[in-house]
Amino acid sequence: MSDLVIRPLAATDRAAWEPLWQGYLTFYKASLSPDITDATFARLTGGAEPMGGFVAERGGVMLGIVHWVVHRSTWNVKDICYLQDLFTVEAARGTGAGRALIEAVRQMAKAKGCFRVYWQTHESNLQAQALYDKIAEKSGFIVYRQGLG
């Protein structure tokens, strides 16, 4: 994996980012309207929001993406970082690309003075959990959600 490059997501990455974003949504059996995808990419790359992303690429080909959101917490005076989306193309799974993307978020969060990085995955995503179990601890919390219309 020495030829793997991890770098910040840039506004010029839209054409390469979108198939990975759509792959992520498809993996989780989700779909979003084009205006939400447009707003998401703008937020991730515009520099005005407390969010961003990284990409993993080899030979100029994007193999993976990760998005993060930094926010306040009631449990600490420092901010906390939510690793919101992580996706690699199937050929890159198990090669270290996902781990490298998580590490990029960890390093960024540390540089920003965050006290923790956290994320979630679906209970059926066993391949991802095999990695997560090696590099992080389970919180023991169950996530609930309630739509607002």
Side-chain angles (χ1 to χ4, degrees), residues 77-142:
V77 295
K78 295 181 179 182
D79 287 344
I80 190 167
C81 180
Y82 179 45
L83 188 158
Q84 187 160 13
D85 313 304
L86 175 63
F87 181 78
T88 63
V89 297
E90 189 156 348
R93 294 180 191 152
T95 68
R99 182 188 294 253
L101 287 164
I102 293 168
E103 180 60 20
V105 172
R106 192 184 79 77
Q107 290 294 329
M108 175 280 307
K110 187 175 181 181
K112 288 185 177 289
C114 295
F115 76 97
R116 180 182 299 147
V117 174
Y118 72 102
W119 63 93
Q120 60 185 349
T121 192
H122 194 270
E123 63 188 352
S124 65
N125 193 351
L126 300 178
Q127 187 172 16
Q129 288 178 58
L131 168 61
Y132 303 160
D133 288 345
K134 292 175 187 170
I135 62 173
E137 60 186 42
K138 289 181 182 174
S139 68
F141 285 88
I142 298 169

Side-chain angles (χ1 to χ4, degrees), residues 4-63:
L4 184 70
V5 174
I6 305 296
R7 63 169 179 77
L9 179 66
T12 55
D13 289 327
R14 176 67 187 255
W17 169 86
E18 189 153 358
L20 291 157
W21 174 242
Q22 293 302 326
Y24 176 76
L25 295 173
T26 298
F27 181 84
Y28 282 112
K29 297 174 179 61
S31 63
L32 298 174
S33 65
D35 62 315
I36 293 175
T37 292
D38 291 344
T40 295
F41 189 77
R43 288 174 176 171
L44 291 169
T45 60
E49 301 281 344
M51 58 194 309
F54 291 99
V55 302
E57 58 184 17
R58 181 181 295 119
V61 176
M62 202 175 289
L63 302 174

